[in-house]
Amino acid sequence: MLHNKTIAELSADLHAGEYSSEHLTRIFLARIEQFNPQLNALVTVTAEQALADARVADARLKAGTAGPLTGIPLVQKDIFCTKGVKTSCGSRMLDNFIAPYDATTVAKLRDAGMVMVGKANMDEFAMGSSNETSFYGPVKNPWDTAAVPGGSSGGSAAAVAARLAPVATGTDTGGSIRQPAALCGITGIKPTYGRVSRYGMIAFASSLDQGGPMARTAEDCALVLRAMSGFDERDSTSVDMPVPDYRATLNDSIQGLKIGLPKEYFGEGLDAQVAQVIDDAIKQYRALGAEVVEISLPNTQLAVPTYYVVAPAECSSNLSRFDGVRFGYRCENPHDLLDLYKRSRGEGFGPEVKRRIMIGTYALSAGYYDAYYIKAQQLRRLISDDFIQAFKQVDVIMGPTSPTVAFNIGEKVADPVTMYLSDIYTIAVNLAGLPGMSIPAGFVGKRPVGLQLIGNYFAEARLLNVAHKYQQATDWHGRVPPGLE
Amino acid sequence: MALSKSDVEKIAHLARLEINDADIPLYANNLTNILSFVEQMSAVDTTGVEPMAHPLAASQRLRPDIVTETNQRELFQSIAPQVEAGLYLVPKVIE
Amino acid sequence: MEWEVVIGLEIHAQLATRTKIFSGAATAYGAAPNTQACAVDLGLPGVLPVLNGEVTRMAVKFGLATGARIAPRSVFARKNYFYPDLPKGYQISQYELPIVGQGKIQIELDDGTTKTIGITRAHLEEDAGKSLHEDFHDLTGIDLNRAGTPLLEIVSEPDMRSAKEAVAYMKKIHSLVRYLEICDGNMQEGSFRCDANVSVRPKGREKFGTRAEIKNINSFRFVEKAINYEVERQIELLESGGTVVQETRLYDADKDETRSMRSKEEAFDYRYFPDPDLLPLDVDDAFIAEVRSTLPELPDEKRERFIYEYGLTPYDASVLTASRELADFFEAVEKASDGEAKQSANWVMGDLSASLNKANLEITNSPVTAQMLGGMIQRIADDTISGKIAKEVFEAMWNGEGDADAIIEKKGLKQVTDTGAIEQAIDAVIANNPKQLEQYRGGQEKLFGFFVGQVMKATQGKANPALLNELLKKKLSS
């Protein structure tokens, strides 16, 4: 059962010559062929290129020039530009867009020898929390196909949970890695803003977007995050700091680790059964030697409203380039320039994207800028300051990733605000630019629950270490969705 | 604050989005709900709080003035809706 | 009613960098369409801007040269609007926090007085592409080579009171940016262009009238004509009971009129906000000091120096320092002439400039080098040739016949200073013109010129004029 092995295990096998990357790649391609039609996790499968890449990886493995990720299959979220391969961003607007260049992250992972087997479905332009806004239809949660996988990196999360690939990339603007990881029972990390290059990652909200890996274990995330991270001269917001060997510190002791539980993350709105699972996980940490203290993040309630000004404002401008002139969708027979713009954009974007563009346009327009945009930026400061205060007392903040387990497909589509509130615990982390993680911590019925870990700036190594210790003591991350064993 | 039909039309025009007449009431309703939700912000006194535009307090890095890009017109225009003689074409722009 | 004209200019100077402001694509002029538009310039999905450091240096240079405060922290903002030559749907510019703050510059007016014009600010931004309306029947072609070219937008205070002042200001800024080597100043290629904000108000009233903005004027002549037309238009409108509408207008040089730009009439809401893809631009004192140390002598300093060092008139000094190239040429001539500053100035501003104009040549391409011109001036100074003969020598130098000495030698133009030879010529002329001699002696003294001319003719113009005068006077009265 190769598909159930972790990257760490597969890598050891490949290096020992137990089997080839081509063999491994064929196994995952076969699973994609078998299960993807029902899950809709991938929108593009790159079988031919994958096999060619796998053979190159095999040559590197033979030649002794392979690294720890060489020959490991990978799914890229369809928000990352992949040269010569359709990059749709889940939108009709880019349904015909063959990217003419590679995102920095794509190039880095390919250079590390990883084999891309396909591209993951996602909420349109990463705007959504359930993967229902995709032009390519909703993704099904592998644990329960009546449920959403979360979003926006829902295809990535479902692909990893369903063992269609050992790892997928995701992006996280307000919880888009952590929430689907939680809802699909896998491990995902959103690093500190600036840690992973945004070049070639189609922008939603530039000051919030951050890419990261989604895999089954913290150890696998550590391996892939190290390869994804690092300074990129093409991204002005990329941070020029050395990338640590995250794997090297996975087993550090967490004896005396100070965990902060924000009281605001355990109040009204949190599902009682989810709360129980989180309590159990915290107990486990106590058993591992951690100290737990209650803390307060007083501006928590303001995070979602703040986010729904900042993110739409940035997106309304970021998405102006989709105008039917140089690439992407163009409407039929435009009768003048205005018609070209309005219909190309009106027909190319789905309703949620249009809503957010309009909210952002409104918030930035004359007369409203101060009341909305500047106000939100001030609140963003207050929200960030809450975390700065908290990290003076504790090493890691923990709580639920999502207030509920996965909801049913269609359940929240009609009410955007209710949908937005499903990211209530993850959004503040993006506003502050901090690293955050979600790890599997149990189930409510058939549906998984994620524990969120929030670290201080550039404390990814610590987060992965804390997550890994938990995974050494529990086996939630090893569970396989029924029917996908 | 409730958005009217003409508010929605104005915003959609600024954002160059065609919205079908039939859909405008739904958009008006959704946008109004979102804006009322966002309205919570105004309850907080933020006098003297420095707006935060970036998560990290860093300053802009400068690039050396060296040509690094080569002509890739053919590749870039292979994905364009309409080109002729190396130009992107759009409906006539009237000045 | 007497009207007062109020003008402010927004000058766009293309910065003379090798690459774009936010990408590594070349900025060379005249490339085939879209061959210098890289992924970033095209605004492809996922691309990001990174600031060209040279652009910062150039903006700081300009700020220092106009006595402006350099902002320790400036911010790039997005100006949002849809237009086909604007690939991203927004222009990256500086809005609330520009890099160069308030400064000023002095202009010289025709009556010899000077006036200080305030500069409100100067900020960095990216240029848009070009729309081509011909050749595609009902379509417009878009060339994005120019998209992302760095611009310094220099915004003046509404301090100018006539089209002439506006032109003087624009010329002064033009000269300055070229001195600083931050802009090539090529107006045909659009490297230096301006928008003029024009309004009129009844003389004596403090409140400004409603202004019209005339867009994209790319020559000094057009600035003057466009403003004059617009002033006339506004006054006529107001005097006939109408009101001026705040709008954008275009100057049509063929018809010599301004007209409203209908497509841009729609009220714009640019939705400026800080660009989240770029971080605040910090400029520290060490950087400013370093840039300051690279500043060349500026036009006003040079002008002052020309007045006291060379004893030139303020007018001559202004003309000669209008461009750095002209000033450098003059100084080279002065040196080669061994200190004949006045003569050097006269020749550079006179015959040389006229010849260059006629041949449509720049001073840097002059066929008569500073060395050659200076050498010729030396020959005037040491009485080898007269000023009149010098014109012939200059002409020959211009036509590539060699340097002054070679030409004088070859053509035998050396001035006659031999008293005997001149006296001989005078005697002959007097002998041949007894009638005129009689008349002269009879009191018609203006015939003196006739005799000078005859003697000059006889000596092929080579007689030393002063000596000739002296000897002739003596002979005629003896």
Side-chain angles (χ1 to χ4, degrees), chain C residues 193-256:
Chain C
R193 53 191 200 260
C194 86
D195 302 339
N197 286 302
V198 179
S199 66
V200 296
R201 61 182 172 191
K203 196 146 198 155
R205 201 171 79 175
E206 202 169 326
K207 196 168 167 264
F208 290 133
T210 307
R211 65 169 201 268
E213 184 183 22
I214 314 169
K215 279 272 180 204
N216 258 330
I217 322 174
N218 66 350
S219 90
F220 297 125
R221 202 159 58 89
F222 291 167
V223 166
E224 185 164 357
K225 294 180 91 172
I227 291 173
N228 281 334
Y229 174 86
E230 182 57 23
V231 167
E232 286 295 308
R233 187 187 73 86
Q234 291 186 13
I235 291 175
E236 257 174 53
L237 196 62
L238 293 168
E239 289 187 340
S240 62
T243 50
V244 176
V245 192
Q246 185 166 344
E247 63 178 351
T248 304
R249 299 180 70 85
L250 203 62
Y251 177 67
D252 184 334
D254 295 332
K255 294 182 184 155
D256 187 24

Coordinates of all heavy atoms in Angstrom, one line a residue, chain C residues 193-256:
Chain C
R193 N 7.2 65.6 -21.4 CA 5.9 66.1 -21.9 C 5.1 66.7 -20.7 O 5.5 66.5 -19.5 CB 5.0 65.0 -22.5 CG 4.9 63.8 -21.6 CD 4.3 62.6 -22.5 NE 3.7 61.6 -21.6 CZ 4.3 60.4 -21.3 NH1 5.5 60.2 -21.7 NH2 3.7 59.6 -20.5
C194 N 4.1 67.4 -20.9 CA 3.4 68.0 -19.8 C 1.9 68.2 -19.9 O 1.4 68.1 -21.1 CB 4.0 69.4 -19.4 SG 3.3 70.8 -20.3
D195 N 1.3 68.3 -18.8 CA -0.2 68.6 -18.8 C -0.2 70.0 -18.2 O 0.5 70.3 -17.2 CB -0.9 67.7 -17.8 CG -0.8 66.2 -18.2 OD1 -0.5 65.9 -19.4 OD2 -1.0 65.4 -17.3
A196 N -1.1 70.9 -18.7 CA -1.1 72.2 -18.2 C -2.5 72.5 -17.6 O -3.5 72.2 -18.2 CB -0.9 73.2 -19.4
N197 N -2.5 73.0 -16.4 CA -3.8 73.3 -15.7 C -3.9 74.8 -15.9 O -3.1 75.6 -15.4 CB -3.7 73.0 -14.2 CG -3.9 71.5 -14.0 OD1 -4.9 70.9 -14.4 ND2 -2.9 70.9 -13.4
V198 N -5.0 75.2 -16.6 CA -5.1 76.6 -17.0 C -6.5 77.2 -16.4 O -7.5 76.5 -16.6 CB -5.1 76.8 -18.5 CG1 -5.3 78.2 -18.9 CG2 -3.8 76.2 -19.1
S199 N -6.4 78.3 -15.8 CA -7.6 79.0 -15.4 C -7.4 80.5 -15.5 O -6.3 81.0 -15.7 CB -8.0 78.6 -14.0 OG -7.1 79.1 -13.1
V200 N -8.5 81.2 -15.5 CA -8.4 82.7 -15.5 C -9.3 83.2 -14.4 O -10.2 82.5 -13.9 CB -8.9 83.3 -16.8 CG1 -8.0 82.9 -18.0 CG2 -10.4 83.0 -17.1
R201 N -8.9 84.4 -13.9 CA -9.8 85.0 -12.8 C -9.7 86.5 -13.0 O -8.7 87.1 -13.6 CB -9.3 84.7 -11.4 CG -7.8 85.1 -11.2 CD -7.3 84.7 -9.8 NE -5.9 85.0 -9.6 CZ -5.2 84.5 -8.6 NH1 -5.7 83.8 -7.6 NH2 -3.9 84.8 -8.5
P202 N -10.7 87.3 -12.6 CA -10.7 88.7 -12.7 C -9.4 89.2 -11.9 O -9.2 88.7 -10.8 CB -12.0 89.2 -12.0 CG -12.8 88.0 -12.0 CD -11.9 86.8 -11.9
K203 N -8.7 90.1 -12.5 CA -7.5 90.6 -11.9 C -7.9 91.2 -10.5 O -8.9 91.9 -10.3 CB -6.9 91.8 -12.7 CG -5.5 92.1 -12.3 CD -4.6 92.5 -13.5 CE -3.2 92.3 -13.1 NZ -2.3 92.1 -14.2
G204 N -7.1 90.8 -9.5 CA -7.3 91.3 -8.1 C -8.0 90.3 -7.3 O -8.0 90.4 -6.1
R205 N -8.7 89.3 -7.9 CA -9.5 88.4 -7.1 C -8.5 87.3 -6.6 O -7.6 86.9 -7.3 CB -10.6 87.8 -7.9 CG -11.7 87.2 -6.9 CD -12.9 86.8 -7.7 NE -12.7 85.5 -8.3 CZ -13.6 84.9 -9.0 NH1 -14.8 85.4 -9.1 NH2 -13.4 83.7 -9.5
E206 N -8.7 86.8 -5.4 CA -7.8 85.8 -4.8 C -8.2 84.4 -5.3 O -7.3 83.6 -5.6 CB -7.8 85.9 -3.3 CG -6.5 85.4 -2.7 CD -6.4 85.7 -1.2 OE1 -6.8 86.8 -0.8 OE2 -5.9 84.9 -0.5
K207 N -9.5 84.1 -5.3 CA -10.0 82.8 -5.6 C -9.7 82.4 -7.0 O -9.8 83.2 -7.9 CB -11.5 82.7 -5.3 CG -12.0 81.3 -5.2 CD -13.5 81.4 -4.7 CE -14.1 80.0 -4.9 NZ -14.9 79.9 -6.1
F208 N -9.2 81.2 -7.2 CA -8.9 80.7 -8.5 C -10.1 80.4 -9.3 O -11.2 80.0 -8.7 CB -8.1 79.4 -8.5 CG -6.7 79.6 -8.0 CD1 -6.2 78.7 -7.0 CD2 -5.8 80.6 -8.5 CE1 -4.9 78.9 -6.5 CE2 -4.5 80.7 -8.0 CZ -4.1 79.9 -7.0
G209 N -10.1 80.6 -10.6 CA -11.2 80.2 -11.5 C -11.2 78.7 -11.7 O -10.2 78.0 -11.3
T210 N -12.2 78.2 -12.3 CA -12.3 76.7 -12.6 C -11.3 76.4 -13.7 O -11.1 77.2 -14.6 CB -13.7 76.4 -13.1 OG1 -14.6 76.8 -12.2 CG2 -13.8 74.9 -13.3
R211 N -10.5 75.4 -13.5 CA -9.4 75.1 -14.4 C -9.8 74.0 -15.4 O -10.6 73.1 -15.1 CB -8.2 74.7 -13.7 CG -8.3 73.4 -12.9 CD -6.9 73.0 -12.4 NE -6.9 71.6 -12.1 CZ -7.2 71.0 -11.0 NH1 -7.5 71.8 -9.9 NH2 -7.2 69.7 -10.8
A212 N -9.1 74.1 -16.5 CA -9.2 73.0 -17.5 C -7.8 72.4 -17.6 O -6.8 73.1 -17.4 CB -9.6 73.4 -18.8
E213 N -7.7 71.1 -17.7 CA -6.4 70.4 -17.8 C -6.2 70.0 -19.3 O -6.9 69.3 -19.9 CB -6.4 69.2 -16.9 CG -5.0 68.5 -16.9 CD -5.0 67.3 -16.1 OE1 -6.0 66.7 -15.8 OE2 -3.9 66.9 -15.6
I214 N -5.1 70.6 -19.9 CA -4.7 70.2 -21.2 C -3.7 69.1 -21.1 O -2.6 69.3 -20.5 CB -4.2 71.4 -22.0 CG1 -5.0 72.7 -21.8 CG2 -4.1 71.1 -23.5 CD1 -4.4 73.9 -22.3
K215 N -4.0 68.0 -21.7 CA -3.2 66.8 -21.6 C -2.1 66.7 -22.6 O -2.3 67.1 -23.8 CB -4.1 65.6 -21.7 CG -4.9 65.2 -20.5 CD -4.1 64.3 -19.6 CE -4.8 63.9 -18.3 NZ -3.9 63.6 -17.2
N216 N -1.0 66.1 -22.1 CA 0.0 65.5 -23.1 C 0.5 66.5 -24.1 O 0.4 66.2 -25.3 CB -0.6 64.3 -23.8 CG 0.0 63.0 -23.1 OD1 1.1 63.1 -22.6 ND2 -0.8 62.0 -23.1
I217 N 1.1 67.6 -23.7 CA 1.7 68.5 -24.7 C 3.2 68.2 -24.8 O 3.8 68.1 -23.8 CB 1.5 70.0 -24.3 CG1 0.1 70.1 -23.6 CG2 1.6 70.9 -25.5 CD1 -0.2 71.5 -23.0
N218 N 3.7 68.0 -26.0 CA 5.0 67.6 -26.1 C 6.0 68.5 -26.9 O 6.9 68.0 -27.5 CB 5.1 66.1 -26.7 CG 4.6 66.1 -28.1 OD1 4.1 67.1 -28.6 ND2 4.8 65.0 -28.8
S219 N 5.7 69.8 -26.9 CA 6.7 70.7 -27.4 C 6.5 72.1 -26.7 O 5.4 72.4 -26.3 CB 6.7 70.9 -28.9 OG 5.8 71.9 -29.3
F220 N 7.6 72.8 -26.6 CA 7.5 74.1 -26.0 C 6.6 75.1 -26.8 O 5.8 75.8 -26.2 CB 8.9 74.8 -26.0 CG 9.9 74.0 -25.1 CD1 11.1 73.6 -25.7 CD2 9.7 73.7 -23.8 CE1 12.0 72.9 -24.9 CE2 10.6 73.0 -23.1 CZ 11.8 72.6 -23.6
R221 N 6.6 74.9 -28.1 CA 5.8 75.8 -28.9 C 4.3 75.5 -28.7 O 3.5 76.4 -28.6 CB 6.2 75.5 -30.4 CG 5.8 76.7 -31.3 CD 6.6 76.5 -32.6 NE 6.4 75.2 -33.2 CZ 5.4 75.0 -34.2 NH1 4.7 76.0 -34.5 NH2 5.3 73.8 -34.7
F222 N 4.0 74.2 -28.6 CA 2.6 73.8 -28.4 C 2.1 74.2 -27.0 O 1.0 74.6 -26.8 CB 2.4 72.3 -28.6 CG 2.6 71.8 -30.0 CD1 2.7 70.5 -30.3 CD2 2.6 72.8 -31.0 CE1 2.9 70.1 -31.6 CE2 2.8 72.3 -32.3 CZ 2.9 71.0 -32.6
V223 N 3.0 74.2 -26.0 CA 2.6 74.6 -24.7 C 2.1 76.1 -24.7 O 1.0 76.4 -24.3 CB 3.8 74.5 -23.7 CG1 3.4 75.3 -22.4 CG2 4.0 73.1 -23.3
E224 N 2.9 76.9 -25.4 CA 2.5 78.3 -25.5 C 1.2 78.5 -26.3 O 0.3 79.2 -25.8 CB 3.7 79.1 -26.2 CG 3.4 80.6 -26.2 CD 4.7 81.4 -26.5 OE1 5.8 80.8 -26.7 OE2 4.6 82.6 -26.6
K225 N 1.1 77.8 -27.4 CA 0.0 78.0 -28.3 C -1.3 77.4 -27.6 O -2.4 78.0 -27.6 CB 0.2 77.3 -29.6 CG 1.3 77.9 -30.4 CD 1.5 77.3 -31.8 CE 0.6 77.9 -32.8 NZ 0.9 77.4 -34.2
A226 N -1.1 76.2 -27.0 CA -2.3 75.6 -26.3 C -2.8 76.4 -25.2 O -4.0 76.7 -25.0 CB -1.9 74.2 -25.8
I227 N -1.9 77.0 -24.4 CA -2.3 77.8 -23.3 C -3.0 79.1 -23.8 O -4.0 79.5 -23.3 CB -1.1 78.2 -22.3 CG1 -0.7 76.9 -21.6 CG2 -1.5 79.2 -21.3 CD1 0.6 77.0 -20.8
N228 N -2.4 79.7 -24.8 CA -2.9 80.9 -25.3 C -4.3 80.7 -25.8 O -5.3 81.5 -25.6 CB -2.0 81.6 -26.3 CG -0.9 82.3 -25.7 OD1 -1.0 82.8 -24.5 ND2 0.3 82.4 -26.4
Y229 N -4.5 79.6 -26.6 CA -5.8 79.3 -27.1 C -6.8 79.1 -26.0 O -7.9 79.6 -26.0 CB -5.8 78.0 -28.0 CG -7.2 77.6 -28.4 CD1 -7.7 78.1 -29.6 CD2 -7.9 76.7 -27.6 CE1 -9.0 77.8 -29.9 CE2 -9.2 76.4 -28.0 CZ -9.8 76.9 -29.1 OH -11.0 76.6 -29.5
E230 N -6.4 78.3 -25.0 CA -7.3 78.0 -23.8 C -7.7 79.2 -23.1 O -8.8 79.4 -22.6 CB -6.6 76.9 -23.0 CG -7.4 76.4 -21.8 CD -8.7 75.8 -22.2 OE1 -8.9 75.3 -23.3 OE2 -9.7 75.7 -21.3
V231 N -6.7 80.1 -22.9 CA -7.0 81.4 -22.1 C -8.0 82.2 -22.9 O -9.0 82.6 -22.3 CB -5.7 82.2 -22.0 CG1 -6.0 83.6 -21.5 CG2 -4.8 81.5 -20.9
E232 N -7.8 82.3 -24.2 CA -8.8 83.0 -25.1 C -10.2 82.4 -24.9 O -11.2 83.1 -24.8 CB -8.4 82.9 -26.5 CG -7.2 83.8 -26.9 CD -7.6 85.3 -26.7 OE1 -8.6 85.7 -27.3 OE2 -6.9 86.0 -26.0
R233 N -10.2 81.1 -25.0 CA -11.5 80.3 -25.0 C -12.2 80.6 -23.7 O -13.4 80.9 -23.6 CB -11.2 78.8 -25.1 CG -12.5 78.0 -25.2 CD -12.2 76.5 -25.2 NE -11.8 76.0 -23.9 CZ -12.7 75.6 -22.9 NH1 -14.0 75.6 -23.2 NH2 -12.3 75.2 -21.7
Q234 N -11.4 80.5 -22.6 CA -12.1 80.7 -21.3 C -12.6 82.1 -21.1 O -13.7 82.3 -20.6 CB -11.1 80.3 -20.1 CG -10.8 78.8 -20.1 CD -10.0 78.4 -18.9 OE1 -9.8 79.2 -17.9 NE2 -9.5 77.2 -18.9
I235 N -11.8 83.1 -21.5 CA -12.2 84.5 -21.3 C -13.4 84.8 -22.2 O -14.4 85.4 -21.7 CB -11.0 85.5 -21.7 CG1 -9.9 85.4 -20.7 CG2 -11.5 86.9 -21.8 CD1 -8.7 86.2 -21.0
E236 N -13.4 84.3 -23.4 CA -14.6 84.5 -24.3 C -15.8 83.9 -23.6 O -16.9 84.5 -23.6 CB -14.4 83.8 -25.6 CG -14.0 84.8 -26.7 CD -13.7 84.1 -28.0 OE1 -14.5 83.3 -28.5 OE2 -12.6 84.4 -28.6
L237 N -15.6 82.7 -23.1 CA -16.8 81.9 -22.5 C -17.3 82.7 -21.3 O -18.5 83.0 -21.2 CB -16.2 80.6 -22.0 CG -17.2 79.5 -21.7 CD1 -18.0 79.1 -22.9 CD2 -16.4 78.3 -21.2
L238 N -16.4 83.2 -20.5 CA -16.8 83.9 -19.3 C -17.5 85.3 -19.6 O -18.5 85.7 -19.0 CB -15.7 84.2 -18.3 CG -15.1 82.9 -17.7 CD1 -13.8 83.1 -17.0 CD2 -16.1 82.3 -16.7
E239 N -16.9 85.9 -20.6 CA -17.4 87.3 -21.0 C -18.8 87.2 -21.7 O -19.5 88.1 -21.7 CB -16.4 88.0 -21.8 CG -15.2 88.4 -21.0 CD -14.2 89.4 -21.7 OE1 -14.2 89.4 -22.9 OE2 -13.4 90.0 -21.0
S240 N -19.0 86.0 -22.2 CA -20.3 85.8 -22.9 C -21.3 85.2 -21.9 O -22.4 84.7 -22.3 CB -20.2 85.0 -24.1 OG -19.8 83.8 -23.8
G241 N -21.0 85.2 -20.6 CA -21.9 84.8 -19.6 C -21.9 83.3 -19.3 O -22.7 82.7 -18.5
G242 N -20.9 82.6 -19.9 CA -20.8 81.1 -19.7 C -20.0 80.8 -18.5 O -19.5 81.7 -17.8
T243 N -19.8 79.5 -18.2 CA -18.9 79.1 -17.1 C -18.0 78.0 -17.6 O -18.3 77.3 -18.6 CB -19.7 78.4 -15.9 OG1 -20.6 77.4 -16.5 CG2 -20.5 79.4 -15.1
V244 N -16.8 78.0 -17.0 CA -15.7 77.1 -17.4 C -16.0 75.7 -16.7 O -16.4 75.8 -15.5 CB -14.3 77.6 -17.0 CG1 -13.3 76.5 -17.3 CG2 -14.1 78.9 -17.8
V245 N -16.0 74.6 -17.4 CA -16.2 73.3 -16.8 C -14.9 72.7 -16.5 O -13.9 72.8 -17.3 CB -16.9 72.4 -17.8 CG1 -17.4 71.1 -17.1 CG2 -18.1 73.1 -18.5
Q246 N -14.8 72.1 -15.3 CA -13.5 71.4 -15.0 C -13.5 70.1 -15.8 O -14.3 69.3 -15.7 CB -13.4 71.1 -13.5 CG -12.1 70.5 -13.2 CD -11.8 70.4 -11.7 OE1 -12.4 71.1 -10.9 NE2 -10.8 69.6 -11.3
E247 N -12.5 70.0 -16.7 CA -12.5 68.9 -17.6 C -11.1 68.7 -18.2 O -10.2 69.6 -18.0 CB -13.4 69.1 -18.8 CG -13.1 70.3 -19.6 CD -14.0 70.6 -20.8 OE1 -14.8 69.7 -21.1 OE2 -13.8 71.6 -21.5
T248 N -10.9 67.6 -18.9 CA -9.6 67.3 -19.5 C -9.8 67.7 -21.0 O -10.8 67.3 -21.6 CB -9.3 65.8 -19.4 OG1 -9.3 65.5 -18.0 CG2 -8.0 65.5 -20.0
R249 N -8.8 68.4 -21.5 CA -8.9 68.8 -22.9 C -7.6 68.4 -23.6 O -6.6 68.2 -23.0 CB -9.1 70.3 -23.0 CG -10.4 70.8 -22.4 CD -10.6 72.3 -22.5 NE -10.9 72.7 -23.9 CZ -12.1 72.7 -24.4 NH1 -13.1 72.3 -23.8 NH2 -12.2 73.2 -25.7
L250 N -7.7 68.3 -24.9 CA -6.6 67.8 -25.8 C -6.3 68.9 -26.7 O -7.1 69.6 -27.3 CB -7.1 66.6 -26.6 CG -6.0 65.6 -27.1 CD1 -5.3 65.0 -25.9 CD2 -6.7 64.5 -27.9
Y251 N -4.9 69.2 -26.9 CA -4.5 70.2 -27.8 C -4.3 69.6 -29.2 O -3.6 68.6 -29.3 CB -3.2 70.9 -27.3 CG -2.7 71.9 -28.3 CD1 -3.5 73.1 -28.5 CD2 -1.6 71.7 -29.1 CE1 -3.0 74.1 -29.5 CE2 -1.1 72.7 -30.0 CZ -1.9 73.8 -30.2 OH -1.4 74.8 -31.1
D252 N -5.0 70.2 -30.2 CA -4.9 69.7 -31.6 C -4.0 70.7 -32.3 O -4.4 71.8 -32.6 CB -6.3 69.6 -32.2 CG -6.2 69.0 -33.6 OD1 -5.1 69.2 -34.3 OD2 -7.2 68.4 -34.1
A253 N -2.7 70.3 -32.5 CA -1.8 71.2 -33.1 C -2.1 71.6 -34.5 O -1.9 72.7 -35.0 CB -0.4 70.6 -33.1
D254 N -2.8 70.7 -35.3 CA -3.1 70.9 -36.7 C -4.1 72.1 -36.7 O -4.0 72.9 -37.6 CB -3.7 69.7 -37.3 CG -2.6 68.6 -37.4 OD1 -1.4 69.0 -37.5 OD2 -3.0 67.4 -37.4
K255 N -5.1 72.0 -35.8 CA -6.2 73.0 -35.9 C -5.9 74.2 -34.9 O -6.6 75.2 -34.9 CB -7.5 72.4 -35.5 CG -8.0 71.4 -36.5 CD -9.4 70.9 -36.0 CE -9.8 69.8 -37.0 NZ -10.8 68.9 -36.3
D256 N -4.8 74.1 -34.1 CA -4.4 75.0 -33.1 C -5.6 75.3 -32.2 O -6.1 76.5 -32.1 CB -3.9 76.3 -33.7 CG -3.3 77.3 -32.6 OD1 -3.0 76.8 -31.5 OD2 -3.3 78.5 -32.9

